[in-house]
Amino acid sequence: MKVISQIKLPVEKEMELFEKKFFESMSSKVALLNRITHFIVNRKGKQMRPMFVFLVAKMVSDGSVNERTYRGASVIELIHTATLVHDDVVDDSNRRRGFFSINALWKNKIAVLVGDYLLSKGLLLSIDNNDFDLLKIISVAVKEMSEGELLQIEKARRLDITETIYYDIIRQKTATLIAACCSLGAASVKPESNEIAKMRRFGELIGMAFQIKDDLFDYGTQKIGKPTGIDIKEQKMTLPLIYVLNIVSKKEKDWVINSVKNHNKDRKRVREVIDFVKDKGGLDYAVKRMKEFQREALLILEDYPDSVYKESLVLMVNYVIERKK
């Protein structure tokens, strides 16, 4: 059995019902909108985010979920989908998960409006049901994701990212959404409990490990749908690169920065930078930090009694750093 199917097993029934509710939550009186949302639903990914919501909710409450849990999962998926649609417009990207993106098929104006529609649907789903605590969790995540993206753009211009700033960027850009899923799961069944902050931290740690794993793919040989060296070509400062820039001589540092800034389209030069980062221990350091985040996340789970939901979350934490793509 594939790892994702194994992780999903204890919440399979909930996930099936969630899909129906999620599709309903997108419906509109506008035929064009329904056609586009139907297109979105039929091209869903692994659905890790709603899985986190249901697994956490069931782990902290001895196996029970309620309508708030379903709404929480729907809100996070609506708002996450809205950000992806907007991201594709911003990045001028024509593909998403191997399919054409919304902006490629329906142009930018429609894509932006669809993103806005999904965002407002998510907000209204919470407001109409007085789920203000859940709405606050997801609103904080959206704010942080935007800040993280802008911080990365600002720093990428000068390539002066320290390790601390890097962690700030990935915590906001990537980890905050997984943190929101986990805290939403806890808040849906145990409002105002200590579990909410605890599960938020758990999700944040997984998100940090997830992003570092993504950084490592840039230096790998595996075919993962993203060509090796793409981060360097896009002048993204990743952890292996940041670490190496902090330990090498000024001359070597100048060569790396010059390569990333001015020769990032030269395949041979990009390859040289990749080999240089590997030789200087950049990958080993990133792996070490990723495993520290993993260990801390697993430590939080030790506070909970054994259950199939906890087992699935342990599997999820390990899958994040062992995945091949």
Side-chain angles (χ1 to χ4, degrees), residues 49 52 76 80 137-138 140-142 144-146 148-149 166-183 199-212 214 293 320:
R49 282 156 299 277
F52 271 122
I76 206 112
H80 173 63
I137 290 170
I138 190 64
V140 167
V142 173
E144 291 198 332
M145 283 158 70
S146 310
E149 286 284 356
Y166 166 81
Y167 292 133
D168 279 345
I169 290 171
I170 69 167
R171 186 183 55 75
Q172 292 181 304
K173 253 190 72 176
T174 305
T176 194
L177 191 67
I178 301 174
C181 295
C182 296
S183 51
M199 285 295 104
R200 177 178 172 76
R201 179 64 183 152
F202 168 72
E204 201 172 79
L205 291 162
I206 297 174
M208 303 289 272
F210 183 93
Q211 186 56 56
I212 296 173
D214 255 17
F293 286 121
V320 157

Side-chain angles (χ1 to χ4, degrees), residues 82-274:
T83 61
L84 292 184
V85 172
H86 283 163
D87 278 354
D88 287 340
V89 175
V90 171
D91 298 338
D92 202 13
S93 172
N94 292 325
R95 293 266 163 185
R96 168 71 60 184
R97 296 192 187 115
F99 297 98
F100 282 116
S101 58
I102 304 291
N103 50 304
L105 292 170
W106 285 282
K107 302 292 175 251
N108 283 351
K109 186 176 181 178
I110 289 175
V112 170
L113 292 169
V114 168
D116 291 347
Y117 173 78
L118 295 172
L119 192 63
S120 61
K121 272 291 201 180
L123 301 176
L124 284 168
L125 184 60
S126 297
I127 292 164
D128 290 346
N129 292 284
N130 294 326
D131 295 329
F132 297 109
D133 55 336
L134 305 186
L135 183 57
K136 185 170 183 185
I137 290 170
I138 190 64
S139 300
V140 167
V142 173
K143 174 183 91 78
E144 291 198 332
M145 283 158 70
S146 310
E147 284 176 344
E149 286 284 356
L150 289 163
L151 179 61
Q152 185 175 44
I153 290 166
E154 180 194 323
K155 294 294 175 184
R157 286 179 180 156
R158 294 201 302 271
L159 298 185
D160 63 345
I161 295 182
T162 61
E163 199 171 322
T164 308
I165 290 172
Y166 166 81
Y167 292 133
D168 279 345
I169 290 171
I170 69 167
R171 186 183 55 75
Q172 292 181 304
K173 253 190 72 176
T174 305
T176 194
L177 191 67
I178 301 174
C181 295
C182 296
S183 51
L184 269 177
S188 72
V189 288
K190 287 196 166 180
E192 293 177 31
S193 68
N194 295 335
E195 312 294 346
I196 300 166
K198 207 167 168 180
M199 285 295 104
R200 177 178 172 76
R201 179 64 183 152
F202 168 72
E204 201 172 79
L205 291 162
I206 297 174
M208 303 289 272
F210 183 93
Q211 186 56 56
I212 296 173
K213 179 69 175 183
D214 255 17
D215 289 358
L216 288 164
F217 283 139
D218 205 48
Y219 295 86
T221 49
Q222 293 152 336
K223 292 276 176 283
I224 56 151
K226 158 179 150 175
T228 307
I230 199 85
D231 287 339
I232 295 169
K233 286 179 188 125
E234 291 177 359
Q235 297 188 25
K236 279 186 189 157
M237 296 291 278
T238 58
L239 187 55
L241 190 58
I242 292 164
Y243 169 76
V244 167
L245 286 175
N246 285 327
I247 60 154
V248 297
S249 67
K250 186 179 182 310
K251 189 182 168 192
E252 288 171 319
K253 185 176 179 174
D254 289 345
W255 175 79
V256 173
I257 288 178
N258 180 33
S259 302
V260 174
K261 264 192 171 171
N262 304 315
H263 304 279
N264 56 10
K265 302 287 185 280
D266 176 343
R267 286 171 71 170
K268 184 171 172 285
R269 189 76 170 257
V270 168
R271 187 71 254 166
E272 283 169 11
V273 172
I274 288 172

